[in-house]
């Protein structure tokens, strides 16, 4: 009756609680009560089972009396019925008739401890899951799948067929979350008690790009036969790609070693143009979108070797009043740039720069070095200069001879010339020079000359004292 009473209490708690974890614990406890009640009932209905366990129910008013008629002892290691114990048990039974019912336990073995509520009373069941795009009806790879029952969530990824699997208890709720950049996050619950289906298909909806979220749908790229080498439509003197009409296939740039310039267009018939490039080393990369007559967007994505987008990184907008600019330190690997239509069709210029590879190698700055008659323009809006110091040194940087506002910036860098930390800056105009004076420690540094308004020549002087 104690087990039945406990079971009733647990079932009531289960009916009122909203906690998934609490429900899981209560179901385990209810199952424990059911097993114990069943075990006691079977023992009391089987008097010939070698006296393993026999229970006689007692009323709640009576005193619980327990007599062990058979127990192993040092003098009697093989437990057999002891006549004295049987006699005492009969006398106790006769004496207790006037008191109502009470419990007499007759056992040839020590009682087994109750099953702990922390024991795993459920059998793990494998559930197969396939994730599908609701519009294209195609499987979605690289979906992050989180399964949450107790403790930390289990994370898995869908394969190229949109498939993954998980083993879950046959009882209890399992919370599942599906997540991928460019798709709306989806949450649902699996409960095998109410839904026996072990093969499931879940549909995900793409998320439209908005200014509020800044999120971008993934862009699958078709194979391209173009290469990184200039073709008949390439002006090799400027490395500028000339196209009379929008390209139907993605542009496969290959390794971005220096700079690439593209002149294309987007329209309602072809609202996106995509560009796939690779980096052999970690590099500082700048992307510029300009020359547009209406608003357009430039989006940077991480990709795999085939040029298929794996994750969204960042974006910027361009209009006829301003350029869209993305400047990032990118690791070795593959990337996809997408130029997207926002309102009406427009021509555009896209410029990609590997600033680390394009940097002027100053080597060790030990005295004075001059770079006269340099040019910075909208086509090449930044120039990089990489220098080293063998010892702590007072360094002076002077930018002059400009006819429009121009910036000079100083960064700490690594040995390859990749920017690490911004340090300071100064501005130059036709009325004044831009000057930076710093006491610098041993190591690598990069000076950046940056266009602010219009094209200009400049003179740069770098000295160490």
């Amino acid at each position: 009756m104690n087990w039945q009473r406990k079971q009733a209490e647990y079932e009531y708690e289960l009916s009122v609680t909203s906690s998934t974890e609490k429900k899981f614990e209560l179901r385990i406890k209810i199952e424990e009560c059911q097993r114990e009640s069943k075990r006691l009932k079977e023992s009391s209905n089987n008097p010939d089972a070698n006296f393993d366990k026999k229970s006689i129910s007692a009323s709640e008013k009576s005193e619980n009396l327990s007599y062990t008629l058979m127990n192993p002892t040092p003098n009697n290691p093989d437990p057999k019925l002891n006549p004295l114990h049987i006699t005492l048990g009969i006398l106790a039974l006769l004496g207790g008739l006037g008191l109502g019912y009470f419990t007499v336990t007759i056992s040839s073995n020590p009682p087994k401890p109750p099953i702990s509520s922390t024991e795993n009373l459920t059998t793990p069941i494998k559930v197969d899951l396939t994730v599908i795009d609701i519009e294209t009806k195609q499987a979605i790879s690289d979906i992050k799948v989180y399964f949450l029952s107790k403790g930390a969530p289990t994370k898995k990824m869908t394969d190229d067929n949109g498939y993954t699997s998980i083993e879950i208890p046959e009882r209890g709720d399992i919370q599942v979350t599906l997540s991928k950049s460019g798709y709306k996050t989806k949450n649902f619950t699996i409960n095998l008690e109410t839904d026996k289906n072990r093969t499931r298909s879940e549909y995900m909806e793409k998320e439209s790009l908005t200014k509020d979220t800044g999120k971008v749908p993934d862009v699958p790229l078709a194979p391209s036969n173009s290469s990184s080498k200039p073709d008949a439509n390439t002006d090799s003197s400027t490395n500028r790609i000339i196209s009379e009409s929008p390209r139907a296939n993605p542009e496969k740039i290959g390794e971005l070693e220096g700079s690439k310039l593209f002149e294309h267009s987007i329209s309602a018939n072809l609202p996106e143009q995509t560009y796939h490039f690779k980096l052999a080393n970690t590099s500082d990369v700048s992307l510029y979108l300009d020359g547009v007559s209406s608003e357009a967007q430039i989006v940077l994505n991480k990709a795999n070797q085939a040029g298929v987008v794996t994750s969204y990184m960042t974006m910027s907008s361009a209009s006829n009043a301003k350029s869209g600019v993305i400047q990032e330190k990118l690791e070795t690997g593959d990337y996809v740039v997408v130029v997207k239509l926002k309102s009406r069709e427009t021509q555009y210029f896209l410029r990609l720069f590997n600033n680390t590879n394009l940097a002027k190698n100053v080597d060790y700055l030990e005295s004075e070095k001059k770079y006269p008659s340099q040019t910075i323009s909208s086509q090449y809006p930044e120039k990089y200069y990489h220098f080293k110091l063998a010892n702590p040194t007072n360094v002076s940087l002077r930018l002059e001879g400009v006819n429009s506002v121009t910036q000079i910036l100083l960064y700490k860098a690594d040995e390859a010339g990749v920017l690490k930390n911004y340090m300071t800056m100064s501005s130059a105009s036709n009325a004044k020079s831009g000057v930076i004076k710093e006491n610098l420690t041993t190591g690598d540094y990069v000076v950046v000359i940056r266009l602010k308004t219009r094209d200009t020549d400049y003179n740069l002087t770098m000295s160490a004292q």
Side-chain angles (χ1 to χ4, degrees):
M1 289 188 68
N2 287 337
W3 288 110
Q4 293 173 352
R5 187 165 56 251
K6 287 182 179 179
Q7 180 180 335
E9 293 173 356
Y10 295 148
E11 287 175 345
Y12 173 75
E13 289 185 48
L14 181 64
S15 67
V16 297
T17 185
S18 59
S19 168
T20 301
E21 185 174 350
K22 185 67 174 177
K23 287 181 179 180
F24 185 78
E25 294 176 354
L26 289 169
R27 287 192 179 101
I28 291 177
K29 291 180 179 180
I30 290 170
E31 185 170 349
E32 178 185 354
C33 293
Q34 291 171 342
R35 291 166 68 95
E36 284 299 303
S37 297
K38 182 179 179 181
R39 180 179 61 80
L40 293 173
K41 183 177 180 180
E42 289 175 351
S43 298
S44 63
N45 293 333
N46 189 7
D48 297 326
N50 295 323
F51 294 93
D52 276 346
K53 288 187 179 179
K54 295 185 179 181
S55 290
I56 302 174
S57 299
S59 69
E60 295 182 0
K61 296 180 180 180
S62 67
E63 180 181 4
N64 287 323
L65 301 177
S66 177
Y67 295 90
T68 301
L69 300 184
M70 292 184 65
N71 277 311
T73 63
N75 296 327
N76 187 18
D78 183 17
K80 296 180 180 178
L81 286 175
N82 188 311
L84 177 59
H85 289 173
I86 294 174
T87 303
L88 291 173
I90 293 172
L91 292 174
L93 178 62
L94 293 173
L97 290 177
L99 299 176
Y101 292 99
F102 58 87
T103 300
V104 178
T105 302
I106 305 174
S107 175
S108 61
N109 293 306
K112 296 180 180 180
I115 298 175
S116 168
S117 62
T118 60
E119 279 188 56
N120 182 14
L121 302 178
T122 58
T123 304
I125 300 297
K126 181 182 177 183
V127 174
D128 297 317
L129 178 64
T130 302
V131 185
I132 301 171
D133 188 304
I134 195 169
E135 294 180 2
T136 66
K137 302 301 186 286
Q138 299 295 314
I140 311 173
S141 63
D142 299 321
I143 294 287
K144 296 175 184 176
V145 186
Y146 297 91
F147 299 88
L148 177 60
S149 174
K150 295 184 67 177
T154 300
K155 176 185 174 183
K156 290 201 172 185
M157 302 283 286
T158 58
D159 61 17
D160 291 340
N161 298 315
Y163 169 82
T164 188
S165 66
I166 187 74
E167 287 191 345
I168 66 174
E170 63 179 320
R171 291 183 175 86
D173 294 335
I174 300 297
Q175 304 296 325
V176 183
T177 299
L178 307 180
S179 173
K180 183 176 181 177
S181 176
Y183 284 87
K184 293 181 180 179
T185 299
K186 184 171 185 177
N187 299 285
F188 59 96
T189 301
I190 297 177
N191 188 323
L192 293 180
E193 278 189 300
T194 57
D195 183 359
K196 303 297 183 183
N197 185 13
R198 299 181 187 177
T199 303
R200 298 164 185 265
S201 296
E202 293 293 335
Y203 292 85
M204 291 186 70
E205 181 181 354
K206 280 190 175 179
E207 201 166 40
S208 60
L209 177 62
T210 66
K211 292 182 179 180
D212 293 334
T213 64
K215 294 182 179 179
V216 183
D218 291 330
V219 183
L221 296 183
S224 171
N225 294 324
S226 61
S227 66
S228 60
K229 297 181 180 179
D231 56 26
N233 293 324
T234 302
D235 182 348
S236 58
S237 63
T238 61
N239 207 17
R240 173 177 172 180
I241 310 300
I242 303 171
S243 176
E244 296 179 356
S245 61
R247 297 179 64 94
N249 295 322
E251 186 71 44
K252 201 166 188 178
I253 299 171
E255 185 177 339
L256 182 62
E257 297 177 310
S259 64
K260 291 284 185 179
L261 283 74
F262 300 90
E263 182 180 359
H264 286 162
S265 64
I266 44 179
S267 64
N269 293 329
L270 189 61
E272 294 183 355
Q273 292 276 17
T274 56
Y275 305 82
H276 171 206
F277 69 89
K278 300 173 181 287
L279 290 176
N281 302 289
T282 300
S283 305
D284 293 303
V285 174
S286 294
L287 313 174
Y288 296 89
L289 178 66
D290 50 26
V292 301
S293 57
S294 63
E295 187 179 3
Q297 289 178 325
I298 177 173
V299 184
L300 177 62
N301 305 280
K302 191 76 176 70
N304 62 20
Q305 293 181 353
V308 177
V309 169
T310 57
S311 61
Y312 161 76
M313 295 185 66
T314 187
M315 65 155 287
S316 180
S317 293
S319 66
N320 52 10
K322 71 180 185 71
S323 300
V325 182
I326 293 176
Q327 294 178 311
E328 292 283 332
K329 181 175 79 172
L330 302 180
E331 305 293 332
T332 303
D334 291 71
Y335 298 86
V336 164
V337 178
V338 184
V339 178
K340 300 171 70 71
L341 181 72
K342 282 299 293 179
S343 53
R344 62 182 186 275
E345 65 180 41
T346 178
Q347 295 282 330
Y348 67 85
F349 293 99
L350 174 65
R351 299 175 173 85
L352 289 74
F353 297 90
N354 185 330
N355 297 312
T356 303
N357 285 357
L358 291 170
K360 174 68 177 179
N361 184 14
V362 179
D363 205 7
Y364 283 95
L365 183 62
E366 297 174 335
S367 56
E368 183 178 82
K369 293 193 176 184
K370 292 187 176 183
Y371 299 91
S373 303
Q374 303 292 299
T375 300
I376 194 167
S377 67
S378 57
Q379 286 196 350
Y380 294 93
E382 289 186 331
K383 293 289 184 70
Y384 282 55
Y385 298 82
H386 174 203
F387 69 90
K388 301 174 181 286
L389 293 177
N391 300 292
T393 308
N394 289 318
V395 173
S396 175
L397 309 172
R398 180 177 292 272
L399 177 66
E400 54 193 355
V402 302
N403 54 35
S404 65
V405 176
T406 308
Q407 290 179 329
I408 178 172
L409 304 95
L410 178 63
Y411 291 84
K412 190 77 176 70
D414 63 16
E415 293 181 358
V418 178
L419 304 185
K420 292 174 62 177
N421 300 309
Y422 163 77
M423 297 184 67
T424 187
M425 68 156 287
S426 180
S427 292
S429 66
N430 53 7
K432 72 179 185 71
S433 300
V435 178
I436 292 176
K437 291 184 178 181
E438 291 286 331
N439 186 356
L440 303 179
T441 59
T442 303
D444 290 74
Y445 298 86
V446 167
V447 175
V448 179
I449 308 300
R450 180 174 294 162
L451 180 73
K452 286 298 292 179
T453 54
R454 61 181 184 273
D455 300 1
T456 180
D457 294 334
Y458 67 88
N459 301 318
L460 174 63
T461 302
M462 307 168 67
S463 61
Q465 300 175 351

